[in-house]
Amino acid sequence: MNTVRWGIVGTGAIAHGVVGDFQFVPGAELAAVASRTESKAKDFADQYGIPGAFGSYRAMLESDDVDVVYIATPHPQHRDIALAAIDNGKAVLVEKAFTATLKGTQQVVDAARAKGVFAMEAMWTRFLPVVAAAREVVAWGRIGDVVGVQGDLYAYREYQADHRLFAPELGGGAILDLGVYVVNFAQAFLGDVKEIDSRARLYPTGVDKAVTMNLVHAAGGLSSLTCGFDGHGPGRMIVVGTKGWIEVEPRFHHPSMITVHRNGVLPRIIEALPTGRGYSHEFAEVTARIAAGETESPTMPLRDTLEVMKVLDKCLHQAGITQREADVDLGP
Ligand SMILES: NC(=O)c1ccc[n+]([C@@H]2O[C@H](COP(=O)([O-])OP(=O)(O)OC[C@H]3O[C@@H](n4cnc5c(N)ncnc54)[C@H](OP(=O)(O)O)[C@@H]3O)[C@@H](O)[C@H]2O)c1
């Protein structure tokens, strides 16, 4: 495969946010966009110079014009769109949270594996250059054994009952939207989680405003994580080791700087700017893996997506929240 042809599903905030980063991705061609509304697809395509505009998700998923689809709809819509894409032999990059439920995640993972197509969660943070540098610092043993992760992701948002962040039918709540970042980060450095103790406070719509999670990892690490929409916070993250610690400078989910602190040594700052708005790195990963005929990313494998989703699912359960997958009308 010479060029990997991308299609975008949905024309909302994040689709507009990432689209400019495709220009930085070697071997990627932004071939099409699909919307539930034809005029929105055409406007999006005109605005960004994309050749294909589909007024139905199904039409793009069934077309021969794209190899991989980037699914940028609210979380409960991810499952059905991903399953339809996979069924049509398309690779998928699915926005985070991967789905609204653990069951939905398992269904998509099973389908991708059965069909032998590439699938990945769009956890862009894992691909940022300075996060890769943090992994190297750990691999070199600079902070000793990693025993903990501590961090927050507060992202204040004014409550608006019908917005996707607060509406139950659109997968609202901090656990799925922000918790996915903090848990994903902890899982990347400490591995799988065996015990979960979380507490949340809720909006009148029944989804969570904020959650704090204490996790015990299978290998013995402990993480302490908080996130929420109803307060302001730095968005910082610390990786704790037996010989020092790494501070991921705010905001940790798209950082450009880390500070490595070691006992008795002056702190060392490592800076690595992302290319574009930072989404180019995940797109480059997907493009390269597909071009190589691979079905998963070793940096963001499906098993890790499943492990993270298990934690989020448990936190939802502990908060008394039930999330549901949507029955998506894919259009004509
Ligand atoms: N990686 C990041 O930094 C980042 C940042 C923000 C969001 N996200 C993720 O991206 C996804 C989308 O978030 P967003 O903020 O872009 O949402 P958004 O602004 O509400 O846009 C979502 C789009 O999905 C489509 N859609 C399909 N079914 C829908 C439904 N029933 N209700 C509303 N829209 C529907 C719509 O596009 P059409 O009308 O064109 O079909 C809509 O414009 C979420 O999973 C979110 O967690 C990621």
Side-chain angles (χ1 to χ4, degrees), residues 229-314:
F229 295 127
D230 64 343
H232 294 267
R236 59 196 261 283
M237 193 60 86
I238 293 169
V239 182
V240 181
T242 52
K243 293 182 182 164
W245 73 94
I246 300 171
E247 197 162 358
V248 185
E249 303 297 336
R251 290 173 69 81
F252 89 86
H253 65 307
H254 53 91
S256 52
M257 196 166 93
I258 58 172
T259 307
V260 183
H261 300 260
R262 298 173 61 209
N263 296 339
V265 179
L266 277 176
R268 182 171 170 221
I269 292 171
I270 301 175
E271 201 173 3
L273 295 176
T275 301
R277 296 190 64 188
Y279 303 103
S280 60
H281 304 282
E282 63 175 356
F283 295 145
E285 170 78 356
V286 176
T287 301
R289 298 281 163 204
I290 293 172
E294 295 170 31
T295 55
E296 289 198 34
S297 160
T299 306
M300 187 65 249
L302 292 171
R303 73 162 303 287
D304 286 13
T305 290
L306 273 166
E307 287 301 323
V308 169
M309 202 61 210
K310 277 180 200 165
V311 177
L312 302 180
D313 195 67
K314 184 79 173 176

Side-chain angles (χ1 to χ4, degrees), residues 1-330:
M1 187 181 290
N2 292 330
T3 304
V4 174
R5 299 164 307 161
W6 285 78
I8 297 178
V9 182
T11 57
I14 193 60
H16 282 280
V18 304
V19 66
D21 273 14
F22 279 99
Q23 67 184 298
F24 302 113
V25 184
E29 178 194 335
L30 190 46
V33 60
S35 171
R36 297 167 300 171
T37 312
E38 190 155 9
S39 60
K40 279 167 72 182
K42 286 206 164 106
D43 288 350
F44 192 97
D46 287 349
Q47 188 177 348
Y48 299 110
I50 302 170
F54 292 87
S56 126
Y57 294 166
R58 186 188 308 282
M60 188 177 80
L61 300 179
E62 290 181 354
S63 87
D64 292 328
D65 299 349
V66 299
D67 305 305
V68 52
V69 293
Y70 165 63
I71 300 173
T73 63
H75 331 311
Q77 279 72 26
H78 294 173
R79 181 200 60 176
D80 278 6
I81 297 167
L83 289 175
I86 291 165
D87 194 42
N88 282 290
K90 310 288 187 237
V92 291
L93 174 66
V94 185
E95 256 309 340
K96 36 63 49 185
F98 196 70
T99 59
T101 65
L102 176 59
K103 190 174 166 206
T105 293
Q106 189 71 62
Q107 288 174 305
V108 175
V109 168
D110 289 348
R113 286 178 176 161
K115 192 85 176 179
V117 299
F118 181 92
M120 192 182 96
E121 180 180 5
M123 185 41 74
W124 59 308
T125 306
R126 284 204 186 191
F127 299 96
L128 294 173
V130 85
V131 175
R135 284 197 295 268
E136 281 182 27
V137 167
V138 168
W140 294 335
R142 293 285 193 272
I143 63 163
D145 296 330
V146 178
V147 291
V149 167
Q150 260 181 277
D152 85 281
L153 187 54
Y154 271 103
Y156 185 82
R157 295 297 291 257
E158 207 62 52
Y159 177 63
Q160 185 190 327
D162 60 351
H163 187 277
R164 78 160 182 89
L165 293 176
F166 312 103
E169 69 279 10
L170 294 175
I175 292 173
L176 288 182
D177 205 78
L178 303 174
V180 68
Y181 279 113
V182 292
V183 174
N184 197 295
F185 193 91
Q187 196 270 346
F189 283 90
L190 288 171
D192 296 350
V193 174
K194 66 172 183 183
E195 288 171 42
I196 299 155
D197 184 14
S198 68
R199 299 285 185 276
R201 37 173 196 269
L202 308 187
Y203 287 111
T205 51
V207 302
D208 61 302
K209 296 175 179 178
V211 61
T212 185
M213 317 168 187
N214 287 314
L215 310 179
V216 181
H217 295 258
L222 300 173
S223 46
S224 175
L225 311 166
T226 302
C227 57
F229 295 127
D230 64 343
H232 294 267
R236 59 196 261 283
M237 193 60 86
I238 293 169
V239 182
V240 181
T242 52
K243 293 182 182 164
W245 73 94
I246 300 171
E247 197 162 358
V248 185
E249 303 297 336
R251 290 173 69 81
F252 89 86
H253 65 307
H254 53 91
S256 52
M257 196 166 93
I258 58 172
T259 307
V260 183
H261 300 260
R262 298 173 61 209
N263 296 339
V265 179
L266 277 176
R268 182 171 170 221
I269 292 171
I270 301 175
E271 201 173 3
L273 295 176
T275 301
R277 296 190 64 188
Y279 303 103
S280 60
H281 304 282
E282 63 175 356
F283 295 145
E285 170 78 356
V286 176
T287 301
R289 298 281 163 204
I290 293 172
E294 295 170 31
T295 55
E296 289 198 34
S297 160
T299 306
M300 187 65 249
L302 292 171
R303 73 162 303 287
D304 286 13
T305 290
L306 273 166
E307 287 301 323
V308 169
M309 202 61 210
K310 277 180 200 165
V311 177
L312 302 180
D313 195 67
K314 184 79 173 176
C315 293
L316 289 167
H317 179 75
Q318 290 179 346
I321 299 166
T322 303
Q323 291 281 0
R324 291 186 177 81
E325 306 296 349
D327 190 7
V328 179
D329 176 2
L330 297 169

